[in-house]
């Protein structure tokens, strides 16, 4: 075949590839349209329409309420404070894991990541056991923080520490240290060299991490629901209260729209910072930048990071486990096997099996939809339509899960999508949260595949499906397993939507924990701690498996 014929063949293969990419987008777009956009739109329309007429004036009425303005102010203020505190505490950890090589580094990395995959209900419960009434601090010093904002801020730092360490540390480990060393040789102090050389290079990663932390804390639900009590309320908590307790759908709809606009702006900024990080730097192999700590200062920094991890991350989990035993030994765990005939229609321990079954189904859905989306997004030269599709996939991480869950009940209640009584409703809601993690995990690996391999397969006559099966799949198989593990972990912990759609006789673990915490009595409290411990162990085991499967080219989350 002559050169012109080869170019024609490549051009035809490129057109087939573009058509195949848009074909792959069809399934994720349909999934998000039916199970995300439709329920959210339905619940908003239910709240803002009366007799077929939109009541847009209701938006101004809701914003004029002083208690709503207080919720908006607290939501924004605590998110900013949580983000600043997380950066302050986690950046030294990012530096240590990026630049130092020391015994136990992989164990420390795994320990740091455990809180991120824990359900927010477990995090709230752990801090309740540490700083709440009858908690460790209360017993030792009579100190309670559960009625202050500090409990929420510390829990947010606990939950998001890994976001900063993974996002910033992943880039920091690949920055060429010789640039900073050159500045030192020219007379700059250590801090001046870091401020003028390293910090500007890290700025896109720091900004991306800060935006993600702000997003997670701005939409915080489980942590604030448990630790905030009646005193503190974020937008997400207020949406839940207006929907399930007051039944004021119009106010809930307005708050949902406000949160949607805010999340869209945050995600747009995040996408911009990520593109800067991908294109602005020349990176080196991370394996050659880490070295053993030198001097007392570096060893002291390492020791302070280990102490911070022990106090901030491990202590709450240790207290949670200790409270699950209490003075009764295994009594709280045995009580989980008994049907109390009250809030549970079956023994609470059955929530473990329910959660595992739901999570397996949700993982299968998330991997299928997320893999198709990641393959469609592989090309870096994709147009605005595809970049917009990428942003769409991230929306479930920030849009009110409470709204999605209640929207499922409102929208999916008549043929051909009458799913209200179906068990599949829970995995579908959980998969919405799992898909972004699948995409973010697989996309960097897929983009690292040499495009010439695909072109060669296409020139040889392979269809897009066969080219993906023969070229991409062998290279991304491990990333696919990691993505499945993340989807499984986040499905186990999903709470905001599941609390609405999980049937009373088949609760998930987070829903069961919340129900137990909502009932008075030491037995219910101890059972909540026991169920939270079980959920923590399941998530930790999933994370350890992920750490064994991870590669340097696998996405951070």
């Amino acid at each position: 075949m002559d050169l012109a014929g080869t170019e024609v063949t490549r051009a035809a293969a490129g057109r087939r590839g573009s058509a195949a990419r848009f074909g792959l987008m069809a399934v994720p777009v349909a999934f998000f349209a039916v199970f995300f956009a439709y329920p959210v739109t339905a619940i908003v329309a239910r709240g803002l329409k009366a007799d077929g007429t939109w009541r847009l004036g209701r938006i101004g009425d809701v914003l004029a309420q002083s208690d709503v303005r207080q919720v908006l102010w607290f939501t924004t203020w605590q998110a900013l404070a949580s983000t600043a505190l997380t950066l302050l505490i986690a950046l030294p950890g990012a530096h240590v894991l990026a630049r130092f090589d020391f015994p136990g580094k992989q164990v420390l990395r795994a320990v740091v990541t455990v809180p991120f995959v824990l359900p927010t209900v477990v995090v709230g419960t752990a801090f309740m056991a540490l700083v709440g009434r009858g908690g460790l601090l209360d017993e030792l010093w009579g100190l309670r923080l559960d009625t202050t904002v500090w409990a929420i801020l510390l829990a947010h730092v606990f939950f998001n520490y890994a976001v900063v360490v993974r996002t910033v540390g992943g880039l920091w480990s690949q920055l060429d240290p010789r640039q900073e060393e050159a500045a030192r040789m020219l007379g700059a102090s250590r801090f001046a060299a870091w401020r003028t050389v390293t910090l500007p290079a890290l700025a896109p990663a720091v900004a991306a991490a800060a935006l993600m932390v702000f997003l997670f804390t701005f939409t915080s639900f489980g942590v604030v629901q448990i630790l905030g009590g009646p005193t503190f309320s974020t937008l997400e908590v207020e949406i839940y209260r207006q929907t399930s307790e007051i039944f004021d759908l119009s106010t809930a709809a307005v708050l949902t729209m406000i949160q949607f606009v805010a999340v869209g702006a945050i995600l747009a900024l995040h996408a911009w910072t990520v593109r800067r990080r991908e294109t602005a730097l020349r990176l080196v192999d991370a394996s050659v930048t880490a070295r053993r700590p030198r001097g007392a200062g570096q060893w002291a920094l390492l020791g302070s990071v280990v102490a911070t991890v022990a106090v901030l991350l491990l202590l709450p989990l240790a207290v949670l486990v200790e409270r699950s035993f209490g003075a009764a030994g295994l009594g709280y765990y045995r009580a989980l096997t008994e049907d109390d005939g009250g809030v549970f229609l079956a023994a609470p321990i059955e929530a473990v099996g329910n959660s595992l079954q739901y999570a397996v189904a949700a993982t299968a859905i998330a991997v299928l939809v997320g893999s198709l989306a990641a393959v469609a997004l592989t090309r870096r030269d994709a147009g605005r339509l595809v970049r917009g599709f990428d942003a769409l996939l991230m929306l479930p991480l920030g849009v009110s899960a409470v709204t999605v869950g209640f929207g499922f009940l409102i929208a999916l209640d008549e043929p051909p999508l009458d799913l209200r009584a179906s068990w599949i409703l829970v995995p579908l809601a959980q998969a919405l949260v799992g898909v972004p993690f699948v995409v973010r995990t697989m996309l960097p690996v897929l983009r690292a595949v040499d495009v010439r391999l695909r072109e060669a397969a296409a020139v040889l006559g392979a269809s897009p499906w066969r080219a993906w099966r023969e070229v991409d799949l062998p290279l991304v198989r491990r990333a696919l397993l990691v993505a499945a593990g993340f989807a499984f972990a986040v499905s186990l912990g999903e709470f905001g939507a599941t609390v609405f759609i999980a049937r009373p006789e088949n609760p998930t673990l987070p829903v069961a924990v919340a129900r137990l915490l909502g009932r008075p009595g030491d037995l219910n409290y101890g059972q909540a701690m026991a169920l939270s411990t079980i959920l923590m162990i399941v998530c930790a085991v999933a994370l350890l498996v992920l750490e064994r499967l991870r590669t340097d080219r696998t996405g951070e989350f």
Side-chain angles (χ1 to χ4, degrees):
M1 183 180 294
D2 59 17
L3 180 60
T6 301
E7 292 300 324
V8 170
T9 303
R10 286 182 174 175
R15 289 192 296 271
R16 290 199 305 269
S18 297
R21 183 168 67 252
F22 284 104
L24 291 170
M25 288 171 57
V27 172
V29 167
F31 178 78
F32 275 79
V34 174
F35 298 113
F36 178 69
Y38 177 44
V40 171
T41 303
I43 192 67
V44 171
R46 179 69 66 91
L48 293 182
K49 287 182 72 174
D51 300 324
T53 303
W54 286 94
R55 298 182 300 164
L56 298 182
R58 181 60 180 158
I59 298 176
D61 294 339
V62 171
L63 292 177
Q65 299 175 17
S66 59
D67 55 342
V68 170
R69 292 199 302 270
Q70 179 63 32
V71 168
L72 291 173
W73 164 247
F74 177 75
T75 301
T76 305
W77 176 85
Q78 64 82 27
L80 289 171
S82 297
T83 302
L85 192 60
T86 302
L87 289 174
L88 179 66
I89 295 176
L91 281 176
H95 173 71
V96 164
L97 288 172
R99 292 304 199 196
F100 293 171
D101 185 20
F102 52 90
K105 179 177 179 178
Q106 295 305 318
V107 174
L108 181 62
R109 186 187 300 274
V111 168
V112 163
T113 312
V114 165
F116 182 76
V117 300
L118 286 180
T120 55
V121 170
V122 172
V123 176
T125 307
F127 272 82
M128 182 65 72
L130 178 64
V131 304
R133 180 179 60 84
L136 180 64
L137 297 186
D138 190 15
E139 291 182 354
L140 294 178
W141 299 297
L143 177 63
R144 289 181 56 186
L145 299 178
D146 59 322
T147 56
T148 72
V149 74
W150 280 105
I152 295 174
L153 298 182
L154 290 174
H156 283 161
V157 175
F158 171 94
F159 188 75
N160 293 292
Y161 188 94
V163 176
V164 176
V165 169
R166 291 284 193 173
T167 304
V168 180
L171 178 61
W172 208 335
S173 66
Q174 293 179 279
L175 292 181
D176 192 343
R178 291 173 295 184
Q179 297 177 354
E180 189 173 322
E181 292 170 359
R184 294 288 308 281
M185 293 180 63
L186 293 174
S189 65
R190 185 181 298 276
F191 176 75
W194 179 84
R195 180 176 56 83
T196 58
V197 177
T198 303
L199 182 59
L202 287 176
V206 173
L211 285 169
M212 289 307 295
V213 173
F214 184 85
L215 174 65
F216 291 143
T217 52
F218 187 85
T219 59
S220 182
F221 177 58
V223 167
V224 181
Q225 176 79 352
I226 292 175
L227 296 176
T231 306
F232 302 108
S233 180
T234 57
L235 267 174
E236 185 81 352
V237 174
E238 188 64 18
I239 291 171
Y240 173 78
R241 190 174 72 90
Q242 294 289 340
T243 302
S244 64
E245 297 178 8
I246 303 178
F247 304 108
D248 186 350
L249 292 185
S250 62
T251 299
V254 172
L255 296 180
T256 297
M257 292 173 63
I258 294 172
Q259 184 165 305
F260 186 84
V261 171
V263 166
I266 295 168
L267 290 177
L269 282 172
H270 182 264
W272 180 72
T273 57
V274 168
R275 284 198 297 272
R276 284 188 61 199
R277 190 179 73 174
E278 287 181 346
T279 59
L281 300 171
R282 290 185 178 181
L283 306 178
V284 299
D285 186 354
S287 63
V288 302
T289 63
R291 61 188 183 188
R292 290 185 66 82
R294 299 175 182 175
Q298 292 188 354
W299 281 107
L301 176 61
L302 174 59
S304 67
V305 168
V306 172
T308 299
V309 171
V311 173
L312 182 64
L313 305 187
L314 291 181
L315 182 59
L317 300 181
V319 173
L320 173 67
V321 175
E322 187 273 333
R323 289 294 189 272
S324 73
F325 291 100
L330 294 174
Y332 294 143
Y333 289 90
R334 284 193 293 267
L336 294 176
T337 63
E338 302 171 359
D339 182 4
D340 64 359
V343 72
F344 292 101
L345 301 181
I349 195 65
E350 293 186 12
V352 177
N354 297 333
S355 286
L356 293 175
Q357 294 174 29
Y358 289 142
V360 169
T363 300
I365 297 170
V367 168
L368 173 62
V369 175
S371 298
L372 292 174
V375 173
L377 292 168
T378 297
R379 288 187 56 174
R380 292 180 180 270
D381 59 348
R384 292 183 178 180
L385 177 63
V386 177
R387 289 199 297 269
F389 172 61
D390 190 10
L392 169 69
L393 298 173
M394 295 291 290
L395 282 177
L397 290 181
V399 173
S400 171
V402 170
T403 300
V404 173
F406 197 55
F408 269 33
L409 297 181
I410 296 293
L412 305 179
D413 63 342
E414 57 185 10
L417 288 174
D418 186 4
L419 302 177
R420 238 180 351 179
S422 174
W423 67 272
I424 197 64
L425 210 58
V426 173
L428 286 171
Q430 294 173 342
L432 282 172
V433 183
V435 168
F437 288 90
V438 174
V439 174
R440 297 272 75 81
T441 301
M442 293 190 62
L443 193 55
V445 183
L446 285 168
R447 283 178 172 168
V449 176
D450 193 338
V451 68
R452 291 172 297 182
L453 296 176
R454 300 190 187 103
E455 292 176 350
V459 168
L460 293 174
S463 65
W465 161 247
R466 184 176 180 184
W468 186 86
R469 188 180 72 241
E470 300 291 341
V471 176
D472 293 70
L473 184 59
L475 298 174
V476 303
R477 184 180 291 114
R478 183 169 293 184
L480 185 63
L481 293 174
V482 173
F486 272 121
F488 181 81
V490 298
S491 298
L492 277 176
E494 205 290 318
F495 176 63
T498 308
V499 70
F500 278 98
I501 57 181
R503 300 181 66 83
E505 67 273 17
N506 294 309
T508 62
L509 275 170
V511 172
V513 170
R515 289 181 184 175
L516 286 167
L517 286 175
R519 303 177 69 190
D522 291 338
L523 178 61
N524 292 312
Y525 179 81
Q527 286 180 283
M529 297 294 163
L531 269 184
S532 296
T533 300
I534 293 172
L535 185 52
M536 178 189 69
I537 291 172
V538 174
C539 290
V541 169
L543 176 66
L544 291 176
V545 173
L546 291 183
E547 285 297 319
R548 293 183 62 87
L549 291 173
R550 287 185 63 85
T551 66
D552 288 339
R553 299 172 74 180
T554 301
E556 289 303 327
F557 289 107

